[in-house]
Amino acid sequence: MPVDVSVVVIVYNDAERLPTAVRSALDQTLHGVEIVIVDDCSTDDSYGTARRIAAEHPERVRAYQLPENSGAGGEPRNVGIGHTVGTYVMFLDSDDVLERNACRNLLEAAEREGSDIVSGLCVRLSMDTRNKKRDQWYPWLYATTRTLESVTELPDLFVWDTLSTNKLYRRDFLVENALRFPKGMFYEDLMFIAEAYLAAGRITLIPNQVYFWHVHERAAAKSVTNRRHEMTNFQHRLEIHRRIDALLAERGLDELRLFKDIKFLKHDLVLHLRDLPFRDDSYRQEFADLARGYLAGIDRAAYGEVLPAQAICAYLLEQGDWENLLPAVDTLTNRDKISSPLAERDGHVYWCAEHLDDPFGRQVLDVTALGYHSKRLDQMFLRNVLTGYEESAGVVKMAGRVTNPLGIVRPDAVLTAELEFSARRRSLQSFRFPVAAVRQEGESVTWAASVDLARKLRPLGVVDAVWDVRLHLVADGVRTRTRLTPSTPGLAEGMLPVRPRLTRLVADHLEPEVSQRGHLAFRLVTRDAAGGRIQDLVARGTQGAPGRLAKSGFRRAKKLRKNLTSGQSRLRVYDEVFSRLPVKKGTVVFESHLGKQYSDSPRAIYEEMRRQGLDFDAVWSYAGRPEGFPDDATLVRRWSLPYLRALAQAEFWVDNQSYPLKLTKRPETTYIQTWHGSALKRMGFDEPAWKLRSKARQDEQERVLGRFDRFLIRSEHDVRTLAKALRLKEKVLLRVGYPRNDALVRAKRAEDASGVRERGPLAAELGIPDDKRVLLYAPTFRRHGGRHGRFELPFDVERFAEEFGDRYVLLVRSHYLNHVVLPPSVRGRVIDVSAHHDVTPLYRLADAMITDYSSVMFDYALLDRPMLFFTYDYEEYVHEGRGTYFDLRERAPGPVLDTEDELFGALKPLNALDEQALEYGAARARFVAEFGEYDRGDAAKSVVDQFFSHFSHGPHFSDVPHFSDGSRR
């Protein structure tokens, strides 16, 4: 029988798993498959096992053995290639398996496309986990079938999928190009596959799973990737990278080299950096000596394409700055942790004060865009270095140093702290101990505590084997929580006696250990001479029938709890329990922007109801934190059970976007949809994406929109666009305007009557001088952020502050789904007001508006003040997005500007705003007449009078606000 595919299986000291690997090749649905087993001179029975398998399948399996161990996987594969006879070749490791159709799918693609290499999807299976956790290996490369004429068409393939095992190779291609693995080198795949990719005439990728990579992290004999503590490992990695670099340089593939350098900084180097806190000084020094030589050749452009922590660590490693590097590695491992005191220079924030005289260092160390300087203390995850640890007679003395970034904890702050020991398994107990000494010392907050763990910490035993330690620091009443990071390896050692509540036979001591993320923890162990035997008995018991029964019960309970709190279970509770309860007359549930804000028309209606003194039960939905929501209402967290119950029993729903789509509205409930803006962009069923969806999806969406009993309209433009796009019936439409705009209409009338513009208290709150005019920049939502997914302003905000800071204050209000970070250099001249729930006071404060395609244009126009339209991405937004209902360039009531220079040029004249107020006055009037014809200043009153006039006046049950659980504040 002709051989289509030869599978080379390599093995070293893996006799137990080898048969499974070979069986996966024998059981392929493609029949023309042979297996060549190559043993790397194992010391166990691997070769004997291979020979027995070959004897059982003499026509399909052959076994060979190297005369001496080669030290890595490359040479056995080379030997295997020499013994293959198939048209194509694959590689398989003895502890992995092939997917049953792998050879067939790969071969068919190779024959169809005439490719030298065909690659399929590899799946990593974590064999030590109960459910064998699955991770697909760079699945975006395998979303669809595609053929490349050169790997340069897809650089991500070259730099990320460096496996040799999930691929089929034409054997003649390997022979003709003398493609072999480097002998005796770790990471041999990287070099082999780099040469193969570059030599291949055609490469085909298929979306099929072909290879299952079995990961055994707890194995006694660690794989190469799990032996990064060995310096040889790092040496070999660097040598392989140097050889690949030379190969790329020889072929003049500088762009591909840049992609590879980016990957080295993002992946290869990071794997080893994370181990540094666990290594001693001699290891670190040798590591740095090796790394510096290679990093010196990295393309500097690569640093700008990786995460800030990755770039910072690489730079500091090259500089040999261990004092700043190790904290940076802590942030690399714990992404949100602020591990450095930071330094503010010239209006920018830097990771450290050193190296700022180096222009490249200044660039890499600039962390302004991360927004550390704009965070509150309770929003910070701070590095807490454990500097002292002593244990005596069950009492442990600890001392530490908490990073104080940019002096956020002031020298005169009132400080308190406590240590918390909590069982890692959720819902179990925790213990807290006061910290006796805590004080601010420059760039740190130091602390010291003495904790009597032996007497005061009482674990249950067995079920709470691991205990984590946290320090709670309170400065002037503001709390932050930190983890403890030992400053040096081996700092925390010893055994602390404890008294478990269940039994001391299993464990009677706590032993400190350091987690993979570098944090101090304690593990329950036994110190008794017989402890080992007892623990063996317990281990065997947990693995036997009683243990399996107990584990099964625990898993069922865990699954039940998960199911009870899942979205589907909540929906069932809503439908089958809450919706059968009687509707509570006088209950109104309000929500704005999916619970993210107390704002917009729902707020205006609510406040009008309060102004009229109506007697009703007010419920406000919030997402995240309840700060900023009204004190005289019941607050319920969105999607919580109290939230669902409130909706099920409410007489009225009032919101401006949508309550959860899967919730069915009861017939007795009236849903008033205020919506959140007139439409420039195409909406609903007018969107191209919705037109392509199935009829079932469209029907479901129409059902959701059919829940609206009333839909507020502010102009006939809304009828032609929004109402039509949402397929709303005429009887649903309520032509009263937007309640949120009542304040704007009234403000304009008052200004016209008095000739005086009232700024309101917000100007003083923001610290805006009377002699500065105020600009408000309010862009629409941007799905794609800037570098690393952050939203970046489309103009140089520092240039703005420099050129206009003496005349203007710029208020920046990003869309509620975006987040903006301003550098300290613009402090006082540019202010982020995105956290303000209600935009109306910002409108009233602003002398002019800068926007793009946002619906704020329709609202702000009611004030009859200048507007500038900064449409830097007009063609992309209008023609490549979902389209618009009208051409903004033709009907904008203000200048439409495409570039930063045009924007700044329009603002440059001293009387720029006054000139634009006059020039575009008629255009603004037409704009308001067309898009705000029903905004008359009485929308909230009209809604309240129509729907809530039957509510009595006076307090309903109490003026004291309630939480969602019924408790009072």
Side-chain angles (χ1 to χ4, degrees), residues 133 403 885:
K133 180 184 173 185
T403 299
Y885 286 114

Side-chain angles (χ1 to χ4, degrees), residues 905-916:
L907 295 171
K908 194 167 186 177
L910 291 177
N911 58 347
L913 298 187
D914 297 329
E915 290 179 355
Q916 289 180 29

Side-chain angles (χ1 to χ4, degrees), residues 476-527:
D476 290 334
V478 181
R479 179 183 296 267
T480 189
R481 193 169 68 161
T482 69
R483 299 294 301 269
L484 276 57
T485 302
S487 57
T488 57
L491 173 66
E493 293 182 341
M495 291 281 231
L496 296 159
V498 290
R499 297 174 297 159
R501 299 175 190 271
L502 295 181
T503 175
R504 298 189 204 177
L505 290 175
V506 176
D508 57 6
H509 281 75
L510 280 175
E511 182 177 32
E513 65 177 23
V514 180
S515 71
Q516 288 186 336
R517 292 188 174 271
H519 297 139
L520 180 68
F522 288 85
R523 182 176 295 276
L524 276 172
V525 297
T526 182
R527 197 174 183 179

